Amino acid sequence: MSLSPSALPFDDIRNLIRQMPGPDEDAVAEVRARDAQLTKPAGSLGKLEELAEWLAGWSGRGRPKVSRPVVAIFAANHGVADKGVSAFPASVTRQMVENFAAGGAAINQICIAHDLGLKIFDLALDMPTPDITEEDAFDEANCAATMAFGMEAVAGGTDLLCIGEMGIANTTVASALLAGLFGGVPGDWVGPGTGVDAEGMARKRAAVEQAVARIEGTSDPLEVLRRVGGRELAAMAGAVLAARLQRTPVIVDGFVATAAVAVLHAMDPRALDHCLFAHLSAEPAHRMALEKLGKEPLLDLGMRLGEGTGAALAAGIVRAAAQVHDGMATFADAGVSGKGDN
């Protein structure tokens, strides 16, 4: 998938938003019809039945399967890290990317446990975006190009895309982005991130307030992303948009990933209908963000690691939902009496 030349780079993104397909209602109906014949009481599998319908609607398959799931982690660095907003130095971003490559991170173990593919996208780690308290993160061309790069996450084929991130100081950026999109008191969007202390929290809150004040009056969602976002957030937004256009269901990880896709929701409230939100992060403002999006998380495990871990755990449940629906016998297959049979 590529963006065609236009007068303004963001025009291409806006055109793609207008081209988004809706769900395949015939596939959903096929799932419901089969579910009614499976060897179980109606509704007895609860959320798993809803997940099977969701998969069908966005994959276009009446017997949905998850055979090529991929976790995509987007990694980037941020100039605002120099403001002391994180408990860790910016060098940790690259060190963790190397850890992912070596198979030593939590996400590697969850992917092994659930048989998930893993892709890591290094977004110019040696060139942090500018400090958003002082200047814009991107110009329009670079922001659009980063979104286009994120679209490559679906290249090569996948039937379930899980998005996650790695980037020291990116909860600061996510807080500024959400405050810019949804308003409210900027400090209310700020949490401890990787475990910053009270002094760090004060610096973080001040940074978010400064960034939001600097872009006061900016209302276009793509402009908010351009001015106070970061490379991994722009790339995740691009990946989710590309997945929609290719009818690929998406699982969104935690606080930072939710902030990234909130940009698409602000452009069109239907833009995230193909997305499942994996879990409720322990980052306090994640609940606020999900409420603004009108989304319910699948899990609540007190996690706040990022790196796609919550999305990968949720993918295991989604795979189970697909397998249960596809693999279960019907009453007729099993010779089991259905409700009302004599």
Side-chain angles (χ1 to χ4, degrees):
M1 182 176 301
S2 63
L3 300 180
S4 59
S6 68
L8 295 172
F10 282 158
D11 286 348
D12 292 322
I13 304 296
R14 295 185 182 101
N15 287 336
L16 292 177
I17 288 282
R18 285 191 284 269
Q19 295 169 26
M20 294 185 304
D24 187 326
E25 297 294 354
D26 290 340
V28 174
E30 188 174 338
V31 164
R32 289 174 179 164
R34 175 172 167 76
D35 184 78
Q37 301 302 316
L38 297 179
T39 48
K40 62 177 182 62
S44 59
L45 285 174
K47 189 71 175 180
L48 293 185
E49 298 176 15
E50 296 175 25
L51 291 174
E53 292 183 14
W54 170 73
L55 275 174
W58 293 107
S59 68
R61 302 173 68 177
R63 294 281 288 268
K65 297 180 184 293
V66 179
S67 57
R68 294 175 297 164
V70 170
V71 177
I73 301 178
F74 299 91
N77 273 319
H78 306 270
V80 74
D82 292 340
K83 288 289 198 292
V85 296
S86 174
F88 294 90
S91 58
V92 169
T93 303
R94 179 166 294 286
Q95 291 165 5
M96 281 304 300
V97 167
E98 292 170 354
N99 193 29
F100 299 150
I107 186 57
N108 299 100
Q109 315 320 313
I110 298 173
C111 286
I112 291 169
H114 292 299
D115 193 20
L116 309 173
L118 179 62
K119 293 182 179 180
I120 312 299
F121 295 86
D122 176 338
L123 295 158
L125 290 180
D126 296 329
M127 294 187 294
T129 45
D131 179 352
I132 59 171
T133 68
E134 300 173 0
E135 55 185 299
D136 294 338
F138 307 93
D139 60 27
E140 183 170 334
N142 281 321
C143 188
T146 304
M147 295 182 75
F149 180 82
M151 292 179 180
E152 296 302 313
V154 295
T158 177
D159 50 20
L160 181 65
L161 177 66
C162 305
I163 62 164
E165 43 62 43
M166 177 65 214
I168 295 302
N170 68 7
T171 56
T172 300
V173 172
S175 296
L177 180 58
L178 288 165
L181 291 172
F182 296 126
V185 178
D188 289 348
W189 292 102
V190 179
T194 52
V196 72
D197 60 18
E199 292 181 358
M201 272 290 287
R203 292 190 293 269
K204 188 174 183 179
R205 192 174 289 109
V208 170
E209 289 170 350
Q210 291 167 30
V212 174
R214 188 179 61 78
I215 67 163
E216 185 177 1
T218 303
S219 58
D220 180 88
L222 289 173
E223 277 293 298
V224 176
L225 173 64
R226 180 185 75 78
R227 302 193 69 187
V228 297
R231 292 192 184 98
E232 74 275 55
L233 286 93
M236 284 189 285
V240 170
L241 178 55
R244 175 61 166 266
L245 296 169
Q246 294 194 13
R247 289 193 172 279
T248 301
V250 173
I251 304 181
V252 179
D253 193 41
F255 178 66
V256 177
T258 298
V261 302
V263 174
L264 303 178
H265 180 273
M267 296 177 72
D268 186 329
R270 302 167 299 169
L272 304 181
D273 288 353
H274 65 306
C275 295
L276 172 71
F277 286 75
H279 72 123
L280 178 65
S281 171
E283 187 73 0
H286 192 214
R287 185 185 296 276
M288 289 170 52
L290 291 173
E291 288 174 353
K292 292 290 186 181
L293 299 178
K295 300 294 184 179
E296 288 287 336
L298 181 63
L299 304 170
D300 183 356
L301 300 175
M303 296 171 62
R304 54 179 175 82
L305 178 59
E307 67 188 47
T309 48
L313 284 170
I317 295 174
V318 171
R319 295 195 78 176
Q323 181 61 44
V324 166
H325 179 82
D326 185 60
M328 277 185 73
T330 64
F331 286 108
D333 292 336
V336 175
S337 297
K339 185 176 180 181
D341 291 345
N342 294 319

